[in-house]
């Protein structure tokens, strides 16, 4: 009985360790992600398209005149700068852009200071 119990435990360990990650959201659904940073917040919606994704970004609380860059990072670590802009006099931004990454492929979304890559907001 003890030998059978050890074999069952081994099977449980192997099965538990071999489980696949939860499936990614279906490609046909939009994905909205919250972004947070020091004194600023916003969200981005990634909507599937025939070329990848349409992006709609809304931010508030950025320093007035901040030069920003929207950067998406894929699962393989590849960085893609999608758009750049300057925050308006109220420190807000509404940005529309496109990328060839699908909503599920963009694992990290970052708003960085142009030129320095200083992180301003992210989904982490």
């Amino acid at each position: 009985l003890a030998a059978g119990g050890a074999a069952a435990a081994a099977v449980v360990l192997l099965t538990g360790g071999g489980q696949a990650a939860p499936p990614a959201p279906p490609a046909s659904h939009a994905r909205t992600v919250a972004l947070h940073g020091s004194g600023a917040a916003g969200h981005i919606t990634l909507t599937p398209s025939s070329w990848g994704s349409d992006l709609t970004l809304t931010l508030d609380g950025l320093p007035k005149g901040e030069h920003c860059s929207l950067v998406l990072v894929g699962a393989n670590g590849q960085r893609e700068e999608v758009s750049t802009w300057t925050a308006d006099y109220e420190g807000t931004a509404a940005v529309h852009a496109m990328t060839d990454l699908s909503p599920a492929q963009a694992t990290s979304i970052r708003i960085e200071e142009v030129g320095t890559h200083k992180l301003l907001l992210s989904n982490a």
Side-chain angles (χ1 to χ4, degrees), residues 9 20 34 36 40 44 55 63 71 93 95-96 100 114:
H36 305 282
I44 184 169
L55 309 171
V71 178
V95 177
H96 299 280
D100 60 352
V114 171

Side-chain angles (χ1 to χ4, degrees), residues 49-65:
S49 67
S50 60
W51 57 82
S53 300
D54 284 319
L55 309 171
T56 303
L57 171 69
T58 305
L59 299 172
D60 189 30
L62 295 168
K64 175 181 134 183

Side-chain angles (χ1 to χ4, degrees), residues 32-97:
T32 299
V33 178
L35 302 171
H36 305 282
S38 179
H43 64 273
I44 184 169
T45 300
L46 298 91
T47 304
S49 67
S50 60
W51 57 82
S53 300
D54 284 319
L55 309 171
T56 303
L57 171 69
T58 305
L59 299 172
D60 189 30
L62 295 168
K64 175 181 134 183
E66 181 75 65
H67 299 285
C68 304
S69 173
L70 169 59
V71 178
L72 301 181
V73 182
N76 63 358
Q78 179 181 351
R79 293 171 45 92
E80 180 181 344
E81 184 177 82
V82 178
S83 183
T84 61
W85 71 93
T86 301
D88 68 15
Y89 67 95
E90 295 175 348
T92 63
V95 177
H96 299 280

